Amino acid sequence: MAYFDAASSAPLHPVARQALLASLDEGWADPARLYREGRRARMLLDAAREAAAEAVGCRADELVFTSSGTRAVHAGIAGALAGRHRVGRHLIVSAVEHSSVLHAADAHEAGGGSVTQIEVDRQGRVTPASYADALRPDTALACLQSANHEVGTEQPVAEVAAVCRESGVPLLVDAAQSLGWGPVAGDWSLLTASAHKWGGPSGVGLLVVRKGVRFVSQGPADERESGRAAGFENLPGIVAAAASLRAVRAEAEQEAVRLRELTERIRVRVPQSVPDVEVVGDPRRRLPGIVTFSCLYVDGETLLHELDREGFSVSSGSSCTSSTLTPSHVLKAMGVLSEGNVRVSLPMGTPEEDVERFLKVLPGAVAGVREKLGAPAAAATVRQDDALVVDALGKRCPIPVIELAKVIGDVPVGRTVRVLSDDEAARLDIPAWCEMRGQEYVGEEPADHGAAYVVRRVS
């Protein structure tokens, strides 16, 4: 089985396994106690903190260990906002942040705060100017991921940090995806990360708060981890997390070159072997191991099952794989195709032959799914004035787009097709289809049920 979902959780690094087993024997005692076993546990904890701080590029007393990366994000945002409550309650986030950041922003807004969401381009990247424009006198905190978890695009963190610093606003960086590859550049103020993203054990996160940043921990007081992460430290997990971070960093430079070549191979060859594919994300400023593409006329969930049967574990941002039947917020913010979406994220050490086998299997898997969906019950079409109306109500992705593709050639150039759909994904996928096919997306109109998406044939 080829595991291609390292962006969700990387396989446990051998060094992490060794450190975990060793610390189960040596680090079980309370590191706050003064007897021998406690002192031994404290030495392990201090050594792990020093190693993690060195990898981050911060002081050891600026870093605390949390129970997860999500917990680090929530604690970091809440503490920074509380520490600057006299300045105001305005929070800035990008539209493509991890859900943990967006959920924290929603909670802040529900509690009476205000939130500005920064838009991205079709590559998934923000601009420093957009953060500069969003800053206000009452801005308490800004957040920006170092690299995107779905498409791999790297963000201009250093430039945004400089803009925020000029206005005296702290910047929190979610470095979960990138920290294993290297430290985050720039004069950021807070940083969060998660050990299972770089091959450490799950249940360990990092929260860094630079000296001089106003920060007030939320929740009941606790003496552990400088009061910023309540509860008994998961010492074996912490030791394994720090050891694996140091280990992957030692391998990162050489492995990055190798994985970039493999992902570039996927980026180039998938569109050559599979028709109607959009490769998304920045082609150059990206993490080494992530490549994402979307396939027209494909049910994402069905495609993932087909690839699983062929021995490949991949993930998807397609609405067809979501229990809410809504497309990924990242793909939606980018304005790219979401249907038939596949994210390949290669773990360190991925064999070249696994990638080659994936490239051989994928065309047949996509063709098989398209064949299954190629002859659905035809949607009702009627003439309404000079427009062709396609009734795709009740049909989920990718059926509305398939039906649009079937009839676009039946209307004269310059005339329109109105697609009636109550699937949220159509709001993203129909404009994306027009972009790929050189047709004009006129816009969305209200309808008795769902919405009408108007497309003009131009070629």
Side-chain angles (χ1 to χ4, degrees), residues 76-94:
I77 292 176
L81 288 172
R84 286 174 50 83
H85 72 280
R86 292 182 180 178
V87 172
R89 302 197 65 198
H90 179 229
L91 171 65
I92 302 174
V93 300
S94 85

Side-chain angles (χ1 to χ4, degrees), residues 289-353:
I290 298 179
V291 57
T292 305
F293 55 89
S294 299
C295 309
L296 272 175
Y297 320 134
V298 169
D299 178 328
E301 184 173 9
T302 303
L303 180 56
L304 261 59
H305 286 317
E306 289 295 327
L307 291 172
D308 182 51
R309 278 194 283 269
E310 293 287 348
F312 296 97
S313 301
V314 299
S315 64
S316 173
S318 171
S319 61
C320 308
T321 63
S322 168
S323 60
T324 61
L325 294 176
T326 58
S328 149
H329 71 276
V330 172
L331 301 179
K332 186 175 182 180
M334 293 168 62
V336 298
L337 185 70
S338 74
E339 69 182 52
N341 177 258
V342 174
R343 179 187 69 183
V344 174
S345 49
L346 307 178
M348 290 186 173
T350 297
E352 178 183 1
E353 51 267 30

Side-chain angles (χ1 to χ4, degrees), residues 215-303:
F215 190 93
V216 178
S217 298
Q218 300 300 285
D222 192 282
E223 68 276 10
R224 304 281 176 172
E225 292 300 292
S226 304
R228 294 174 180 169
F232 197 94
E233 295 92 346
N234 174 14
L235 190 52
I238 288 170
V239 170
S244 58
L245 181 56
R246 175 177 287 179
V248 298
R249 281 290 189 82
E251 306 163 358
E253 184 175 356
Q254 181 176 353
E255 188 65 4
V257 173
R258 198 180 69 86
L259 289 187
R260 284 189 190 281
E261 192 281 324
L262 291 178
T263 52
E264 184 62 21
R265 194 180 303 185
I266 296 172
R267 288 181 64 85
V268 171
R269 287 172 53 182
V270 166
Q272 293 174 347
S273 61
V274 181
D276 299 315
V277 164
E278 182 178 17
V279 181
V280 301
D282 195 296
R284 293 180 295 107
R285 294 176 296 235
R286 58 185 304 101
L287 291 176
I290 298 179
V291 57
T292 305
F293 55 89
S294 299
C295 309
L296 272 175
Y297 320 134
V298 169
D299 178 328
E301 184 173 9
T302 303
L303 180 56

Side-chain angles (χ1 to χ4, degrees), residues 407-429:
V407 302
I408 190 69
D410 296 338
V411 300
V413 172
R415 299 293 178 84
T416 60
V417 177
R418 298 175 76 246
V419 182
L420 303 179
S421 177
D422 51 5
D423 181 9
E424 176 69 19
R427 181 170 285 112
L428 178 63
D429 290 347

Side-chain angles (χ1 to χ4, degrees), residues 14 50 52 64 103 118 128-129 131 186 238 276 339 356 431 442 452 456:
E50 290 281 353
V64 299
H103 291 162
I118 303 298
Y131 270 77
I238 288 170
D276 299 315
E339 69 182 52
E356 283 296 325
V442 177
R456 178 176 287 110

Side-chain angles (χ1 to χ4, degrees), residues 5-342:
D5 196 21
S8 293
S9 189
L12 193 65
H13 194 282
V15 169
R17 183 181 301 277
Q18 295 168 6
L20 184 65
L21 293 175
S23 56
L24 286 171
D25 292 331
E26 298 295 326
W28 51 267
D30 186 347
R33 300 301 177 221
L34 298 179
Y35 42 71
R36 181 175 56 188
E37 293 86 355
R39 294 196 305 272
R40 184 185 300 130
R42 169 56 64 179
M43 290 176 61
L44 289 172
L45 180 59
D46 289 346
R49 197 184 313 279
E50 290 281 353
E54 181 182 1
V56 170
C58 67
R59 292 171 38 158
D61 58 356
E62 294 174 329
L63 184 149
V64 299
F65 294 103
T66 65
S67 58
S68 68
T70 295
R71 185 63 231 154
V73 165
H74 292 171
I77 292 176
L81 288 172
R84 286 174 50 83
H85 72 280
R86 292 182 180 178
V87 172
R89 302 197 65 198
H90 179 229
L91 171 65
I92 302 174
V93 300
S94 85
V96 294
E97 295 297 313
H98 187 269
S99 59
S100 60
V101 174
L102 298 182
H103 291 162
D106 290 342
H108 175 64
E109 195 167 31
S114 60
V115 177
T116 296
Q117 196 169 100
I118 303 298
E119 297 304 316
V120 297
D121 60 20
R122 282 186 66 86
Q123 307 300 331
R125 209 165 188 260
V126 304
T127 63
S130 62
Y131 270 77
D133 293 341
L135 290 168
R136 307 187 325 207
D138 65 335
T139 302
L141 178 67
C143 299
L144 179 63
Q145 60 190 192
S146 55
N148 187 259
H149 49 291
E150 290 195 28
V151 300
T153 297
E154 295 179 328
Q155 299 292 357
V157 172
E159 294 89 338
V160 172
V163 166
C164 292
R165 180 69 66 178
E166 288 178 7
S167 298
V169 174
L171 177 69
L172 183 148
V173 178
D174 171 16
Q177 288 297 333
S178 72
L179 192 60
W181 295 107
V184 177
D187 197 9
W188 46 264
S189 301
L190 302 98
L191 180 141
T192 62
S194 184
H196 74 99
K197 300 290 188 179
W198 66 67
S202 59
V204 180
L206 304 181
L207 170 60
V208 179
V209 181
R210 294 285 200 190
K211 292 296 181 183
V213 175
R214 292 185 178 276
F215 190 93
V216 178
S217 298
Q218 300 300 285
D222 192 282
E223 68 276 10
R224 304 281 176 172
E225 292 300 292
S226 304
R228 294 174 180 169
F232 197 94
E233 295 92 346
N234 174 14
L235 190 52
I238 288 170
V239 170
S244 58
L245 181 56
R246 175 177 287 179
V248 298
R249 281 290 189 82
E251 306 163 358
E253 184 175 356
Q254 181 176 353
E255 188 65 4
V257 173
R258 198 180 69 86
L259 289 187
R260 284 189 190 281
E261 192 281 324
L262 291 178
T263 52
E264 184 62 21
R265 194 180 303 185
I266 296 172
R267 288 181 64 85
V268 171
R269 287 172 53 182
V270 166
Q272 293 174 347
S273 61
V274 181
D276 299 315
V277 164
E278 182 178 17
V279 181
V280 301
D282 195 296
R284 293 180 295 107
R285 294 176 296 235
R286 58 185 304 101
L287 291 176
I290 298 179
V291 57
T292 305
F293 55 89
S294 299
C295 309
L296 272 175
Y297 320 134
V298 169
D299 178 328
E301 184 173 9
T302 303
L303 180 56
L304 261 59
H305 286 317
E306 289 295 327
L307 291 172
D308 182 51
R309 278 194 283 269
E310 293 287 348
F312 296 97
S313 301
V314 299
S315 64
S316 173
S318 171
S319 61
C320 308
T321 63
S322 168
S323 60
T324 61
L325 294 176
T326 58
S328 149
H329 71 276
V330 172
L331 301 179
K332 186 175 182 180
M334 293 168 62
V336 298
L337 185 70
S338 74
E339 69 182 52
N341 177 258
V342 174

